[in-house]
Amino acid sequence: MTRTLVFLYESLAQLVFAYPSRRISAEPMPNRALHLAVLFGAGLQILTVTVPSLRELLGLEAIEWRAALAMMVAVLVQLGRGRSSRQDGVAPRGGARVDGAAVPQQLTFHERGAP
Amino acid sequence: MLLERSTLTDKEREEWEAKALSYAAEGYRVIALACREDEGDEQLTFLGLVLLWDPPRAEVPEAIRRAQDAGIRVVMITGDHPATAQAVARVIGLPPGRAMTGANIEKLSEDDLRVAVREANVFARVAPEHKLRLVETLKGIGEVVAVTGDGVNDAPALKRADVGVAMGQRGSDVSREVADLVLMDDNFATIVAAIEEGRSIYENIQKFIRFLFFRPTSRWCCWWCSAWACRWRSACTTSPATLPAAHRHALLWINFIADGPPALALALDRNPGVMEQPPRDPKAPLLDGPSLRFIFITGITKAAGGVALLTVLPRSATAWR
């Protein structure tokens, strides 16, 4: 059962960590495809322990509800940590520089008469 | 110049010059017309002024504002009169600054020009060689320079710039040939949209890498901690502990189901904040410091959860049975 729960934890925690991976410069717009991918993955994870043939294929076994609860708590803790610690890996923000001394600027020469 | 060669009196000439300047200040291109019965270019009969209005596209001011928000400085280089250039700059929302002419550029030393190009946003009466010098000076002070142009005379500057952008519709074959990008709609706003798209793609690649790289870190930490715990337990007790081995199909399942679809979906992320950020350093690595921090912190946190389950579950499972 330990193997089954660790497998479920690994998969589900991996799925939920797709959300904190997105935070780089600012909060991105909602991504329906990502929600669907995560829900699809989570749904398949449930099937791995409920469908006997899948269970057998993956070398898993049926789990106790208390064990499943412990695993879910572990996943939710991970999700909560990922959502709360917004500063992990968020690039520092700054205003645009005018002198271009440290961070080179992009310059566009716009020729009058062109666009 | 034409007025000086006309038969106008000094007073009339001054009046027409003032008129021409006032029209230029309104953004018109002013052309003086004069004629002469026989050959020669002196003692011309002045006919009048022709005003040409070449309005910027409606979307240009907004595009320039967005470019400025994104830390991109837009500079206008034109062959027009400085007054016309400054008037157009005002219309499109270029920040008021010093306007320089080609003659000014010629007079300045390289060091002085380096200082001047930081302040000036409008360059008027500019010849192709001045454009090239401006591009080289800006590159010399560490700027990343993109140049737009459509004429044959723009080709050297387009070639020398970091990104040469030619006009697809009105552009000459030469300019299109030397440019890195060709705008199919000749629209400045498209450049800003392309910058936004490029930044968004770069950020999505970073997200993809973060998402896929933290898992090996997590697995490695989890495996190392568990192996160490088993060894310690075996040394301390008479009953040897073993790690539960994962089934090979289970590992493949995690790779395909938990990694694949979310990673692909991350490529579809829209990032509205990218145009509020300053440009990134061109030498910055794709896997930068914040990304590495994310990979390690998240990997270790996830591993801690796994280790906790491995520690708690065997005893609890026995009790639950």
Side-chain angles (χ1 to χ4, degrees):
Chain A
M1 189 162 73
T2 305
R3 183 162 68 181
T4 303
L5 287 172
V6 170
F7 163 77
L8 286 175
Y9 166 78
E10 268 286 323
S11 310
L12 291 173
Q14 180 70 16
L15 286 169
V16 298
F17 268 116
Y19 292 102
S21 303
R22 299 170 75 205
R23 285 192 213 102
I24 290 187
S25 56
E27 194 69 34
M29 290 170 78
N31 183 341
R32 196 177 295 171
L34 184 63
H35 296 328
L36 283 175
V38 171
L39 284 175
F40 170 73
L44 284 176
Q45 289 311 122
I46 294 169
L47 290 181
T48 58
V49 285
T50 53
V51 177
S53 56
L54 261 180
R55 232 170 27 217
E56 196 180 331
L57 176 75
L58 299 172
L60 307 176
E61 55 189 272
I63 53 170
E64 279 271 335
W65 68 269
R66 280 170 295 192
L69 189 69
M71 186 274 303
M72 283 309 297
V73 166
V75 171
L76 289 174
V77 165
Q78 295 295 324
L79 180 63
R81 201 215 66 84
R83 288 184 73 83
S84 62
S85 60
R86 285 165 179 262
Q87 293 309 310
D88 289 354
V90 176
R93 300 185 71 169
R97 296 172 59 98
V98 178
D99 61 348
V103 179
Q105 294 178 62
Q106 295 168 358
L107 277 149
T108 302
F109 279 2
H110 179 44
E111 201 205 358
R112 257 288 283 159
Chain B
M1 187 178 285
L2 192 101
L3 292 173
E4 286 165 10
R5 296 180 182 198
S6 70
T7 54
L8 293 174
T9 62
D10 286 350
K11 194 184 170 197
E12 285 172 329
R13 194 184 304 152
E14 278 174 19
E15 282 173 8
W16 281 107
E17 276 177 355
K19 269 188 183 177
L21 207 58
S22 70
Y23 287 132
E26 289 173 34
Y28 290 104
R29 286 176 175 168
V30 185
I31 299 171
L33 296 181
C35 68
R36 184 179 155 140
E37 289 292 320
D38 51 349
E39 286 188 7
D41 54 5
E42 295 294 336
Q43 293 296 305
L44 303 167
T45 306
F46 180 69
L47 297 174
L49 300 174
V50 174
L51 308 181
L52 299 178
W53 175 238
D54 182 12
R57 290 188 187 215
E59 58 270 29
V60 169
E62 172 62 15
I64 287 178
R65 191 194 59 74
R66 291 189 66 216
Q68 286 165 348
D69 288 347
I72 300 163
R73 185 178 150 215
V74 182
V75 172
M76 184 169 75
I77 301 181
T78 176
D80 288 345
H81 190 279
T84 308
Q86 280 192 310
V88 173
R90 271 198 304 276
V91 170
I92 61 176
L94 277 186
R98 189 174 153 193
M100 289 184 71
T101 62
N104 296 144
I105 294 169
E106 267 177 23
K107 284 178 198 162
L108 291 176
S109 67
E110 197 55 45
D111 288 341
D112 291 339
L113 187 60
R114 283 178 179 223
V115 176
V117 291
R118 289 176 194 268
E119 298 165 1
N121 293 322
V122 177
F123 297 87
R125 292 277 188 246
V126 169
E129 61 268 24
H130 300 142
K131 284 183 197 172
L132 190 61
R133 195 175 166 207
L134 284 171
V135 171
E136 284 174 346
T137 304
L138 285 161
K139 285 183 80 174
I141 57 173
E143 309 283 13
V144 178
V145 185
V147 175
T148 68
D150 55 1
V152 175
N153 59 3
D154 296 321
L158 287 171
K159 182 79 180 165
R160 188 72 184 88
D162 293 298
V163 185
V165 185
M167 302 300 123
Q169 291 175 2
R170 294 195 301 188
S172 62
D173 288 343
V174 176
S175 64
R176 283 201 297 260
E177 195 65 35
V178 298
D180 302 296
L181 290 176
V182 178
L183 287 183
M184 298 315 290
D185 59 358
D186 288 12
N187 190 344
F188 178 78
T190 307
I191 300 175
V192 181
I195 292 169
E196 183 176 8
E197 192 65 30
R199 287 188 180 188
S200 196
I201 290 170
Y202 187 87
E203 196 163 303
N204 286 350
I205 292 171
Q206 281 190 316
K207 291 175 185 178
F208 186 89
I209 290 174
R210 284 170 169 221
F211 178 67
L212 289 183
F213 274 36
F214 87 82
R215 193 169 57 81
T217 314
S218 150
R219 263 194 204 165
W220 186 86
C221 288
C222 191
W223 174 85
W224 190 85
C225 290
S226 306
W228 184 84
C230 281
R231 192 175 170 190
W232 180 76
R233 192 175 159 195
S234 301
C236 295
T237 62
T238 50
S239 59
T242 53
L243 277 175
H247 197 282
R248 63 183 184 281
H249 291 156
L251 290 175
L252 282 172
W253 180 274
I254 294 175
N255 283 340
F256 281 112
I257 304 301
D259 282 354
L264 291 175
L266 285 175
L268 301 174
D269 252 4
R270 305 301 305 168
N271 305 293
V274 290
M275 291 304 273
E276 288 152 23
Q277 300 292 313
R280 69 180 171 81
D281 186 345
K283 291 176 187 163
L286 187 62
L287 201 56
D288 55 4
S291 294
L292 285 172
R293 197 163 61 237
F294 173 86
I295 287 166
F296 283 109
I297 293 176
T298 311
I300 289 167
T301 311
K302 190 182 160 199
V307 171
L309 280 177
L310 280 169
T311 312
V312 172
L313 282 175
R315 273 172 275 169
S316 307
T318 313
W320 290 334
R321 279 187 183 120

